[in-house]
Coordinates of all heavy atoms in Angstrom, one line a residue:
M1 N 0.9 -1.2 0.0 CA 0.0 0.0 0.0 C 0.9 1.2 0.0 O 1.8 1.4 0.8 CB -0.9 0.0 1.3 CG -1.8 1.1 1.4 SD -2.9 0.8 2.8 CE -3.5 2.4 3.0
P2 N 0.7 2.2 -0.9 CA 1.5 3.4 -0.9 C 1.4 4.2 0.3 O 0.3 4.3 0.9 CB 0.9 4.2 -2.1 CG 0.1 3.2 -2.9 CD -0.3 2.1 -2.0
E3 N 2.4 4.9 0.7 CA 2.4 5.7 1.8 C 1.7 7.0 1.5 O 1.9 7.6 0.5 CB 3.9 6.1 2.2 CG 4.0 6.9 3.5 CD 3.5 6.3 4.7 OE1 3.6 5.1 4.9 OE2 2.8 7.0 5.5
N4 N 0.7 7.4 2.4 CA -0.1 8.6 2.1 C 0.2 9.7 3.0 O -0.6 10.7 3.0 CB -1.5 8.2 2.0 CG -2.1 7.8 3.3 OD1 -1.3 7.7 4.3 ND2 -3.3 7.4 3.4
G5 N 1.2 9.6 3.9 CA 1.5 10.7 4.8 C 0.8 10.7 6.1 O 1.1 11.5 7.0
L6 N -0.1 9.8 6.3 CA -0.7 9.7 7.7 C 0.3 9.1 8.7 O 1.1 8.3 8.4 CB -1.9 8.7 7.6 CG -3.2 9.2 6.9 CD1 -4.2 8.1 6.8 CD2 -3.8 10.4 7.5
P7 N 0.2 9.6 9.9 CA 1.1 9.1 10.9 C 0.5 7.8 11.5 O 0.1 7.7 12.6 CB 1.0 10.2 12.0 CG -0.4 10.8 11.8 CD -0.7 10.7 10.3
L8 N 0.6 6.7 10.6 CA 0.1 5.4 11.0 C 0.7 4.8 12.2 O 0.0 4.2 13.0 CB 0.2 4.5 9.8 CG -0.7 4.8 8.6 CD1 -0.5 3.8 7.5 CD2 -2.2 4.7 9.0
A9 N 2.0 5.0 12.4 CA 2.6 4.5 13.6 C 1.9 5.1 14.9 O 1.6 4.4 15.8 CB 4.1 4.7 13.6
Q10 N 1.7 6.4 14.8 CA 1.1 7.1 16.0 C -0.4 6.6 16.2 O -0.8 6.4 17.3 CB 1.1 8.6 15.8 CG 0.5 9.4 16.9 CD 0.6 10.9 16.7 OE1 0.9 11.3 15.6 NE2 0.2 11.6 17.7
I11 N -1.1 6.5 15.1 CA -2.5 6.0 15.2 C -2.5 4.6 15.7 O -3.4 4.3 16.6 CB -3.2 6.1 13.8 CG1 -3.3 7.5 13.3 CG2 -4.5 5.4 13.8 CD1 -3.7 7.7 11.9
A12 N -1.7 3.7 15.3 CA -1.6 2.4 15.8 C -1.3 2.3 17.3 O -2.0 1.6 18.0 CB -0.6 1.6 15.0
R13 N -0.4 3.2 17.7 CA -0.1 3.2 19.2 C -1.3 3.7 19.9 O -1.6 3.1 21.0 CB 1.1 4.1 19.4 CG 2.4 3.5 19.2 CD 3.6 4.3 19.8 NE 3.6 5.7 19.4 CZ 4.1 6.2 18.2 NH1 4.7 5.4 17.4 NH2 4.1 7.5 17.9
L14 N -2.0 4.7 19.4 CA -3.1 5.2 20.1 C -4.3 4.2 20.2 O -5.0 4.2 21.2 CB -3.6 6.5 19.5 CG -2.7 7.7 19.6 CD1 -3.2 8.9 18.7 CD2 -2.6 8.2 21.1
L15 N -4.4 3.4 19.2 CA -5.5 2.4 19.1 C -5.0 1.1 19.8 O -5.8 0.2 20.0 CB -5.9 2.1 17.7 CG -6.5 3.3 16.9 CD1 -6.7 2.9 15.5 CD2 -7.9 3.6 17.6
D16 N -3.7 1.1 20.2 CA -3.2 -0.1 20.8 C -3.3 -1.4 19.9 O -3.7 -2.4 20.4 CB -3.8 -0.4 22.2 CG -3.0 -1.3 23.0 OD1 -1.7 -1.4 22.8 OD2 -3.6 -2.0 23.9
V17 N -2.9 -1.2 18.6 CA -2.9 -2.3 17.7 C -1.6 -2.3 17.0 O -1.0 -1.2 16.8 CB -4.1 -2.2 16.7 CG1 -5.4 -2.3 17.3 CG2 -4.0 -0.9 15.8
P18 N -1.1 -3.4 16.5 CA 0.1 -3.4 15.7 C 0.0 -2.6 14.4 O -1.1 -2.6 13.8 CB 0.3 -4.9 15.4 CG -0.5 -5.7 16.4 CD -1.7 -4.8 16.7
E19 N 1.0 -1.9 14.1 CA 1.0 -1.1 12.9 C 0.7 -1.9 11.6 O -0.1 -1.5 10.8 CB 2.3 -0.3 12.7 CG 2.3 0.7 11.6 CD 3.5 1.5 11.4 OE1 4.4 1.5 12.4 OE2 3.7 2.1 10.4
D20 N 1.3 -3.1 11.5 CA 1.1 -4.0 10.4 C -0.4 -4.3 10.3 O -0.9 -4.4 9.2 CB 1.9 -5.2 10.5 CG 3.4 -4.9 10.3 OD1 3.7 -3.8 9.7 OD2 4.2 -5.7 10.7
A21 N -1.0 -4.6 11.4 CA -2.5 -5.0 11.4 C -3.3 -3.8 10.9 O -4.3 -4.0 10.1 CB -2.9 -5.4 12.8
L22 N -3.0 -2.6 11.3 CA -3.7 -1.4 10.9 C -3.5 -1.2 9.4 O -4.4 -0.9 8.6 CB -3.2 -0.2 11.6 CG -3.9 1.2 11.3 CD1 -5.4 1.1 11.5 CD2 -3.3 2.3 12.1
R23 N -2.3 -1.4 8.9 CA -2.0 -1.2 7.4 C -2.8 -2.3 6.6 O -3.4 -2.0 5.6 CB -0.5 -1.4 7.1 CG 0.3 -0.2 7.5 CD 1.7 -0.3 7.1 NE 2.5 0.8 7.6 CZ 2.6 2.0 7.0 NH1 1.9 2.2 5.9 NH2 3.3 3.0 7.5
T24 N -2.9 -3.5 7.2 CA -3.6 -4.6 6.5 C -5.1 -4.2 6.4 O -5.7 -4.4 5.4 CB -3.4 -5.9 7.2 OG1 -2.0 -6.2 7.2 CG2 -4.2 -7.0 6.6
L25 N -5.6 -3.8 7.6 CA -7.0 -3.4 7.6 C -7.3 -2.3 6.6 O -8.3 -2.3 5.9 CB -7.4 -2.9 9.0 CG -8.8 -2.4 9.2 CD1 -9.8 -3.6 8.9 CD2 -9.0 -1.9 10.6
M26 N -6.5 -1.3 6.5 CA -6.7 -0.2 5.6 C -6.6 -0.7 4.1 O -7.4 -0.3 3.3 CB -5.6 0.9 5.8 CG -5.8 1.7 7.1 SD -4.5 2.9 7.4 CE -4.9 4.0 6.1
A27 N -5.7 -1.6 3.8 CA -5.6 -2.1 2.5 C -6.8 -2.9 2.1 O -7.3 -2.9 1.0 CB -4.3 -3.0 2.4
E28 N -7.4 -3.6 3.1 CA -8.6 -4.4 2.8 C -9.8 -3.5 2.6 O -10.6 -3.8 1.8 CB -8.8 -5.4 4.0 CG -7.9 -6.5 4.1 CD -8.0 -7.3 5.3 OE1 -8.9 -7.0 6.2 OE2 -7.2 -8.3 5.5
R29 N -9.9 -2.5 3.4 CA -11.0 -1.6 3.4 C -11.0 -0.7 2.1 O -12.1 -0.4 1.6 CB -11.1 -0.8 4.6 CG -12.3 0.1 4.7 CD -12.7 0.3 6.1 NE -14.0 1.1 6.1 CZ -14.5 1.7 7.1 NH1 -13.9 1.5 8.3 NH2 -15.6 2.4 7.0
W30 N -9.9 -0.2 1.7 CA -9.8 0.7 0.6 C -8.8 0.2 -0.4 O -7.8 0.9 -0.7 CB -9.3 2.1 1.1 CG -10.3 2.7 2.0 CD1 -11.5 3.2 1.8 CD2 -10.1 2.9 3.4 NE1 -12.1 3.6 2.9 CE2 -11.3 3.5 4.0 CE3 -9.1 2.6 4.3 CZ2 -11.4 3.8 5.3 CZ3 -9.2 2.9 5.7 CH2 -10.4 3.5 6.1
P31 N -9.0 -0.9 -1.1 CA -8.1 -1.5 -2.0 C -7.9 -0.7 -3.3 O -6.9 -0.8 -3.9 CB -8.6 -2.9 -2.2 CG -10.1 -2.8 -2.0 CD -10.2 -1.7 -1.0
T32 N -8.9 0.0 -3.7 CA -8.8 0.7 -5.0 C -8.5 2.2 -5.0 O -8.6 2.8 -6.0 CB -10.1 0.5 -5.8 OG1 -11.2 1.0 -5.0 CG2 -10.4 -1.0 -6.0
G33 N -8.2 2.7 -3.8 CA -8.0 4.1 -3.7 C -6.7 4.5 -4.5 O -5.8 3.8 -4.5
D34 N -6.8 5.7 -5.1 CA -5.7 6.2 -5.8 C -4.9 7.2 -4.9 O -5.3 8.3 -4.7 CB -6.1 6.9 -7.1 CG -5.0 7.4 -8.0 OD1 -3.8 7.3 -7.5 OD2 -5.3 7.9 -9.1
A35 N -3.8 6.7 -4.4 CA -3.0 7.5 -3.4 C -2.2 8.6 -4.1 O -1.6 9.4 -3.5 CB -2.0 6.6 -2.7
T36 N -2.3 8.6 -5.5 CA -1.5 9.7 -6.2 C -2.4 10.9 -6.4 O -1.9 12.0 -6.8 CB -1.1 9.2 -7.6 OG1 -2.2 8.8 -8.3 CG2 -0.2 8.0 -7.4
L37 N -3.7 10.9 -6.0 CA -4.5 12.1 -6.2 C -4.1 13.2 -5.3 O -3.8 12.9 -4.1 CB -6.0 11.7 -5.9 CG -6.7 10.8 -6.9 CD1 -8.1 10.4 -6.4 CD2 -6.7 11.4 -8.3
V38 N -4.0 14.4 -5.8 CA -3.6 15.5 -4.9 C -4.8 16.3 -4.5 O -4.8 17.0 -3.5 CB -2.6 16.5 -5.6 CG1 -1.3 15.8 -5.9 CG2 -3.2 17.0 -6.9
A39 N -6.0 16.1 -5.2 CA -7.2 16.8 -4.8 C -8.3 15.7 -4.8 O -8.5 15.0 -5.8 CB -7.5 17.9 -5.8
L40 N -9.0 15.6 -3.7 CA -10.1 14.6 -3.6 C -11.5 15.2 -3.7 O -11.6 16.4 -3.3 CB -9.9 14.0 -2.2 CG -8.6 13.4 -1.9 CD1 -8.5 13.0 -0.4 CD2 -8.2 12.2 -2.7
T41 N -12.4 14.4 -4.1 CA -13.8 14.9 -4.1 C -14.2 14.9 -2.6 O -13.5 14.2 -1.7 CB -14.7 13.9 -4.8 OG1 -14.7 12.6 -4.2 CG2 -14.3 13.8 -6.3
V42 N -15.3 15.5 -2.3 CA -15.8 15.5 -0.9 C -16.0 14.0 -0.4 O -15.7 13.6 0.7 CB -17.0 16.4 -0.7 CG1 -17.7 16.2 0.6 CG2 -16.7 17.8 -1.0
E43 N -16.6 13.2 -1.3 CA -16.9 11.8 -1.0 C -15.6 11.1 -0.7 O -15.6 10.3 0.2 CB -17.7 11.2 -2.1 CG -19.1 11.7 -2.3 CD -19.2 13.0 -3.0 OE1 -18.2 13.5 -3.6 OE2 -20.3 13.6 -3.0
E44 N -14.6 11.3 -1.5 CA -13.3 10.5 -1.3 C -12.7 11.0 0.0 O -12.2 10.1 0.7 CB -12.4 10.8 -2.5 CG -12.8 10.2 -3.8 CD -12.0 10.7 -5.0 OE1 -11.5 11.9 -4.9 OE2 -11.9 10.0 -6.0
A45 N -12.7 12.3 0.3 CA -12.1 12.7 1.5 C -12.9 12.2 2.7 O -12.3 11.8 3.7 CB -12.0 14.3 1.5
A46 N -14.2 12.2 2.6 CA -15.0 11.7 3.7 C -14.7 10.2 4.0 O -14.6 9.8 5.1 CB -16.5 11.9 3.4
R47 N -14.6 9.5 2.9 CA -14.3 8.0 3.0 C -13.0 7.8 3.7 O -12.8 6.9 4.5 CB -14.4 7.4 1.6 CG -14.3 5.9 1.7 CD -14.6 5.2 0.3 NE -13.8 5.7 -0.8 CZ -14.2 6.4 -1.8 NH1 -15.5 6.7 -1.9 NH2 -13.4 6.8 -2.7
R48 N -12.0 8.6 3.3 CA -10.6 8.5 3.9 C -10.7 8.7 5.4 O -9.9 8.1 6.2 CB -9.6 9.4 3.3 CG -9.2 9.0 1.9 CD -8.0 9.8 1.5 NE -7.6 9.4 0.2 CZ -6.4 9.8 -0.4 NH1 -5.7 10.6 0.2 NH2 -6.1 9.3 -1.6
L49 N -11.5 9.6 5.8 CA -11.7 9.9 7.3 C -12.6 9.0 8.0 O -12.7 9.0 9.2 CB -12.1 11.4 7.4 CG -11.0 12.4 7.1 CD1 -11.6 13.8 7.1 CD2 -9.9 12.4 8.1
G50 N -13.4 8.3 7.2 CA -14.4 7.4 7.8 C -15.6 8.2 8.4 O -16.2 7.8 9.4
I51 N -16.0 9.3 7.7 CA -17.1 10.1 8.2 C -18.0 10.3 7.0 O -17.7 10.0 5.9 CB -16.6 11.5 8.7 CG1 -15.9 12.3 7.7 CG2 -15.7 11.3 10.0 CD1 -15.6 13.8 8.1
G52 N -19.2 10.9 7.3 CA -20.2 11.1 6.2 C -19.9 12.4 5.4 O -19.1 13.3 5.9
R53 N -20.5 12.5 4.3 CA -20.3 13.6 3.4 C -20.8 14.9 4.0 O -20.1 15.9 3.9 CB -21.0 13.3 2.1 CG -20.8 14.2 0.9 CD -21.5 13.7 -0.3 NE -22.9 13.8 -0.1 CZ -23.7 14.6 -0.7 NH1 -23.3 15.4 -1.6 NH2 -25.0 14.7 -0.4
T54 N -21.9 14.8 4.7 CA -22.5 16.0 5.3 C -21.6 16.6 6.4 O -21.4 17.8 6.5 CB -23.9 15.7 5.9 OG1 -24.7 15.2 4.9 CG2 -24.5 16.9 6.6
K55 N -21.0 15.7 7.2 CA -20.1 16.1 8.3 C -18.8 16.8 7.6 O -18.3 17.8 8.1 CB -19.7 14.9 9.1 CG -18.9 15.3 10.3 CD -19.7 16.1 11.3 CE -19.0 16.5 12.6 NZ -19.8 17.3 13.4
L56 N -18.3 16.2 6.5 CA -17.2 16.8 5.9 C -17.5 18.2 5.3 O -16.7 19.1 5.5 CB -16.6 15.9 4.8 CG -15.3 16.4 4.2 CD1 -14.2 16.3 5.2 CD2 -14.9 15.7 2.9
Y57 N -18.7 18.3 4.8 CA -19.1 19.7 4.3 C -19.2 20.7 5.5 O -18.8 21.8 5.3 CB -20.5 19.6 3.6 CG -20.4 19.3 2.1 CD1 -20.9 18.2 1.6 CD2 -19.7 20.2 1.2 CE1 -20.8 17.9 0.2 CE2 -19.7 20.0 -0.1 CZ -20.2 18.8 -0.6 OH -20.1 18.5 -2.0
E58 N -19.6 20.2 6.6 CA -19.6 21.0 7.8 C -18.2 21.5 8.2 O -17.9 22.7 8.4 CB -20.2 20.2 9.0 CG -20.2 21.0 10.3 CD -20.8 20.2 11.4 OE1 -21.8 19.4 11.2 OE2 -20.2 20.2 12.5
Y59 N -17.2 20.6 8.1 CA -15.8 20.9 8.4 C -15.3 21.9 7.4 O -14.5 22.8 7.7 CB -14.9 19.7 8.5 CG -15.1 18.8 9.7 CD1 -15.2 17.4 9.6 CD2 -15.3 19.3 10.9 CE1 -15.3 16.6 10.7 CE2 -15.5 18.5 12.1 CZ -15.5 17.2 11.9 OH -15.7 16.4 13.0
V60 N -15.7 21.7 6.1 CA -15.2 22.6 5.0 C -15.8 24.0 5.3 O -15.1 25.0 5.2 CB -15.6 22.1 3.7 CG1 -15.5 23.1 2.6 CG2 -14.8 20.8 3.3
S61 N -17.1 24.1 5.6 CA -17.7 25.4 5.8 C -17.2 26.1 7.0 O -17.2 27.4 7.0 CB -19.3 25.2 5.9 OG -19.6 24.6 7.1
T62 N -16.7 25.4 8.0 CA -16.1 26.1 9.2 C -14.6 26.4 9.0 O -14.0 27.0 9.9 CB -16.4 25.3 10.5 OG1 -15.7 24.0 10.3 CG2 -17.8 25.1 10.8
G63 N -14.1 25.9 7.9 CA -12.6 26.1 7.7 C -11.7 25.1 8.4 O -10.5 25.2 8.3
E64 N -12.3 24.1 9.0 CA -11.5 23.1 9.7 C -10.7 22.2 8.7 O -9.6 21.7 9.0 CB -12.3 22.2 10.6 CG -12.8 23.0 11.8 CD -13.6 22.1 12.8 OE1 -13.0 21.2 13.4 OE2 -14.8 22.3 12.9
I65 N -11.3 22.0 7.5 CA -10.6 21.3 6.4 C -10.6 22.3 5.2 O -11.6 22.8 4.8 CB -11.3 20.0 6.1 CG1 -11.2 19.0 7.2 CG2 -10.7 19.4 4.8 CD1 -11.9 17.7 6.9
A66 N -9.4 22.5 4.7 CA -9.2 23.4 3.5 C -9.9 22.7 2.3 O -9.9 21.5 2.1 CB -7.8 23.6 3.3
S67 N -10.4 23.6 1.4 CA -10.9 23.1 0.2 C -10.7 24.2 -0.9 O -10.5 25.4 -0.5 CB -12.4 22.7 0.3 OG -13.2 23.9 0.5
V68 N -10.9 23.8 -2.1 CA -10.8 24.8 -3.2 C -11.9 24.5 -4.2 O -12.4 23.4 -4.3 CB -9.4 24.7 -4.0 CG1 -8.3 25.0 -3.1 CG2 -9.2 23.3 -4.6
K69 N -12.3 25.6 -4.9 CA -13.3 25.4 -6.0 C -12.5 25.4 -7.3 O -11.6 26.3 -7.5 CB -14.2 26.6 -6.0 CG -15.3 26.5 -5.0 CD -16.4 25.6 -5.3 CE -17.5 26.3 -6.2 NZ -18.8 25.8 -6.1
I70 N -12.7 24.4 -8.1 CA -12.1 24.3 -9.4 C -13.3 24.3 -10.4 O -14.0 23.3 -10.5 CB -11.3 23.1 -9.6 CG1 -10.1 23.1 -8.6 CG2 -10.7 23.0 -11.0 CD1 -9.3 21.8 -8.5
G71 N -13.6 25.5 -11.0 CA -14.8 25.6 -11.8 C -16.0 25.5 -10.8 O -16.1 26.2 -9.8
S72 N -16.9 24.6 -11.1 CA -18.0 24.4 -10.2 C -17.8 23.2 -9.2 O -18.7 22.9 -8.4 CB -19.3 24.1 -11.0 OG -19.1 22.9 -11.7
L73 N -16.6 22.7 -9.2 CA -16.3 21.5 -8.4 C -15.6 21.9 -7.1 O -14.7 22.7 -7.1 CB -15.4 20.5 -9.2 CG -15.9 20.1 -10.5 CD1 -14.9 19.2 -11.3 CD2 -17.2 19.3 -10.4
R74 N -15.9 21.2 -6.0 CA -15.3 21.4 -4.7 C -14.3 20.3 -4.6 O -14.6 19.1 -4.7 CB -16.3 21.4 -3.6 CG -15.8 21.4 -2.2 CD -15.3 22.7 -1.7 NE -16.2 23.8 -1.9 CZ -15.9 25.1 -1.8 NH1 -14.6 25.4 -1.5 NH2 -16.8 26.0 -1.9
R75 N -13.0 20.6 -4.3 CA -12.0 19.6 -4.1 C -11.3 19.9 -2.7 O -11.1 21.0 -2.3 CB -11.0 19.6 -5.2 CG -11.5 19.2 -6.5 CD -11.9 17.7 -6.5 NE -12.5 17.2 -7.7 CZ -13.8 17.0 -7.9 NH1 -14.6 17.2 -7.0 NH2 -14.2 16.5 -9.1
I76 N -10.9 18.8 -2.1 CA -10.1 18.8 -0.9 C -8.7 18.4 -1.1 O -8.5 17.3 -1.6 CB -10.8 17.8 0.2 CG1 -12.3 17.9 0.2 CG2 -10.1 17.9 1.5 CD1 -12.8 19.2 0.8
P77 N -7.7 19.2 -0.9 CA -6.3 18.8 -1.0 C -6.0 17.6 -0.1 O -6.5 17.5 1.0 CB -5.5 20.0 -0.6 CG -6.4 21.2 -0.7 CD -7.8 20.6 -0.4
A78 N -5.3 16.6 -0.7 CA -5.0 15.4 0.1 C -4.3 15.7 1.4 O -4.6 15.1 2.5 CB -4.2 14.4 -0.7
E79 N -3.4 16.7 1.4 CA -2.7 17.1 2.6 C -3.6 17.7 3.6 O -3.4 17.6 4.8 CB -1.6 18.2 2.3 CG -0.8 18.2 1.1 CD -1.4 18.5 -0.2 OE1 -1.8 19.7 -0.4 OE2 -1.5 17.6 -1.0
A80 N -4.7 18.3 3.2 CA -5.7 18.9 4.2 C -6.3 17.8 5.0 O -6.6 18.0 6.2 CB -6.7 19.7 3.4
V81 N -6.6 16.6 4.4 CA -7.1 15.5 5.1 C -6.1 15.0 6.2 O -6.5 14.9 7.4 CB -7.5 14.3 4.2 CG1 -8.0 13.1 5.0 CG2 -8.6 14.8 3.2
N82 N -4.9 14.9 5.8 CA -3.8 14.5 6.7 C -3.6 15.5 7.8 O -3.5 15.2 9.0 CB -2.5 14.3 6.0 CG -2.6 13.1 5.0 OD1 -3.5 12.3 5.0 ND2 -1.7 13.1 4.0
D83 N -3.6 16.8 7.5 CA -3.5 17.9 8.5 C -4.6 17.9 9.5 O -4.4 18.0 10.7 CB -3.4 19.2 7.8 CG -2.1 19.4 6.9 OD1 -1.2 18.6 7.1 OD2 -2.1 20.3 6.1
F84 N -5.8 17.7 9.0 CA -7.0 17.7 9.9 C -6.9 16.5 10.9 O -7.1 16.7 12.1 CB -8.3 17.5 9.0 CG -9.5 17.3 9.9 CD1 -10.1 18.3 10.5 CD2 -10.0 16.0 10.0 CE1 -11.3 18.1 11.3 CE2 -11.2 15.8 10.7 CZ -11.8 16.9 11.4
L85 N -6.5 15.3 10.4 CA -6.4 14.2 11.2 C -5.3 14.4 12.3 O -5.5 14.1 13.5 CB -6.1 12.9 10.4 CG -6.1 11.6 11.2 CD1 -7.4 11.4 12.0 CD2 -5.8 10.4 10.3
T86 N -4.2 14.9 11.9 CA -3.1 15.2 12.8 C -3.5 16.2 13.9 O -3.2 16.0 15.1 CB -1.9 15.8 12.0 OG1 -1.5 14.8 11.1 CG2 -0.7 16.0 13.0
R87 N -4.3 17.2 13.5 CA -4.8 18.2 14.5 C -5.8 17.5 15.5 O -5.7 17.8 16.7 CB -5.5 19.4 13.8 CG -4.5 20.4 13.2 CD -5.2 21.7 12.8 NE -6.5 21.5 12.0 CZ -6.5 21.3 10.7 NH1 -5.4 21.3 10.0 NH2 -7.6 21.2 10.1
Q88 N -6.6 16.6 14.9 CA -7.6 15.9 15.8 C -6.8 15.0 16.8 O -7.2 14.9 17.9 CB -8.6 15.1 15.0 CG -9.5 16.0 14.1 CD -10.2 17.0 14.9 OE1 -10.9 16.6 15.9 NE2 -10.2 18.2 14.5
L89 N -5.8 14.4 16.3 CA -5.0 13.5 17.2 C -4.3 14.3 18.3 O -4.3 13.9 19.5 CB -3.9 12.7 16.5 CG -4.4 11.6 15.6 CD1 -3.3 11.0 14.7 CD2 -5.0 10.5 16.5
G90 N -3.8 15.5 18.0 CA -3.2 16.4 19.0 C -4.2 16.9 19.9 O -3.8 17.2 21.1
A91 N -5.4 17.2 19.5 CA -6.4 17.8 20.4 C -7.1 16.8 21.3 O -7.7 17.2 22.3 CB -7.5 18.5 19.5
S92 N -7.0 15.5 21.0 CA -7.7 14.5 21.8 C -7.0 14.2 23.0 O -5.8 14.2 23.1 CB -7.8 13.2 20.9 OG -8.6 13.4 19.8
D93 N -7.7 13.9 24.1 CA -7.2 13.5 25.4 C -7.4 12.1 25.6 O -8.5 11.7 26.0 CB -7.8 14.4 26.5 CG -7.2 14.0 27.8 OD1 -6.2 13.3 27.9 OD2 -7.7 14.6 28.8
F94 N -6.4 11.2 25.2 CA -6.6 9.8 25.3 C -6.3 9.3 26.7 O -6.4 8.1 27.0 CB -5.7 9.1 24.3 CG -6.2 9.3 22.9 CD1 -5.6 10.2 22.0 CD2 -7.2 8.5 22.4 CE1 -6.1 10.4 20.7 CE2 -7.7 8.7 21.1 CZ -7.1 9.6 20.3
G95 N -5.9 10.2 27.6 CA -5.5 9.8 28.9 C -6.7 9.6 29.9 O -6.6 9.0 30.9
T96 N -7.9 10.0 29.5 CA -9.1 9.9 30.3 C -10.1 9.0 29.7 O -10.3 8.9 28.5 CB -9.7 11.3 30.6 OG1 -10.1 11.8 29.3 CG2 -8.8 12.3 31.2
A97 N -10.8 8.3 30.6 CA -11.8 7.4 30.1 C -13.1 8.1 29.9 O -13.4 9.1 30.5 CB -12.1 6.3 31.2
A98 N -13.9 7.6 28.9 CA -15.2 8.3 28.6 C -16.2 7.8 29.5 O -16.3 6.8 30.1 CB -15.5 8.0 27.1

């Protein structure tokens, strides 16, 4: 699976799962994704984050996730998805139980 810039080692540690198992799960869940895309549709970006399209539009409208208009199309830079996830990991308090 091509490297997409996500801090998978950090995510695996936070989830308390082996990094290889996480990579395998990702490859099974998204086997046809094109990791070379630099701009994603809203649907593609939402799928990468595992959230709904409506929630992603909410993040776009509040500026939490950067986006650009190309003609009439809305596109999310691939780095913006990674940046958003990194910010969410930094903002989460994993030391306390829910």
Side-chain angles (χ1 to χ4, degrees):
M1 180 172 163
E3 183 61 39
N4 63 2
L6 289 175
L8 288 176
Q10 182 181 7
I11 294 169
R13 280 194 308 276
L14 292 170
L15 294 173
D16 196 25
V17 297
E19 185 177 348
D20 291 341
L22 182 58
R23 286 185 185 279
T24 300
L25 177 64
M26 290 176 67
E28 290 170 359
R29 185 152 181 190
W30 299 290
T32 60
D34 184 352
T36 63
L37 292 176
V38 295
L40 307 169
T41 65
V42 170
E43 291 80 8
E44 290 167 336
R47 189 171 52 248
R48 284 190 179 192
L49 288 168
I51 63 174
R53 191 176 65 110
T54 302
K55 187 66 175 177
L56 186 68
Y57 273 115
E58 180 182 316
Y59 289 138
V60 166
S61 69
T62 61
E64 291 184 66
I65 293 182
S67 70
V68 296
K69 282 281 274 205
I70 302 172
S72 63
L73 305 173
R74 172 78 50 196
R75 291 295 180 256
I76 313 294
E79 318 74 66
V81 174
N82 298 340
D83 293 343
F84 172 78
L85 184 58
T86 301
R87 284 193 310 277
Q88 295 303 308
L89 286 170
S92 297
D93 183 6
F94 288 101
T96 59

